[in-house]
Amino acid sequence: MIVRYHVTTRIDDRTIEFEKRLPDPFVRHTVQIGWRDLLRGLLRRGMSVTVLVGGDRAAVDDVLDCERAAS
């Protein structure tokens, strides 16, 4: 199986997981926040969680074409 997609997870601009390889771009991704990050977020009164889905150029173009066709 060719894995063409990846997910990067960040909490407050700190990378938690970098380009975890995935077989499918339409994923359900769960982020488990550790107690240190949770405490830091409570003290700062906010926390930003970012999930970036990417892939090789051809794969991304295919997904965007599907999205345009659906609109």
Side-chain angles (χ1 to χ4, degrees):
M1 174 189 301
I2 298 173
V3 179
R4 300 172 63 190
Y5 306 98
H6 59 266
V7 172
T8 299
T9 306
R10 296 181 185 158
I11 296 178
D12 288 332
D13 295 329
R14 186 170 55 94
T15 301
I16 303 301
E17 196 166 42
F18 182 73
E19 293 188 0
K20 177 183 175 185
R21 300 185 62 76
L22 299 169
D24 187 3
F26 303 102
V27 297
R28 178 179 174 202
H29 186 71
T30 303
V31 179
Q32 294 182 349
I33 299 172
W35 64 271
R36 289 181 183 167
D37 290 321
L38 183 60
L39 182 59
R40 189 178 300 122
L42 288 172
L43 292 174
R44 292 182 182 172
R45 296 183 183 209
M47 176 186 313
S48 172
V49 177
T50 307
V51 178
L52 304 168
V53 179
D56 64 35
R57 185 72 179 158
V60 171
D61 287 342
D62 290 344
V63 170
L64 292 175
D65 287 341
C66 290
E67 185 176 314
R68 284 186 212 123
S71 323

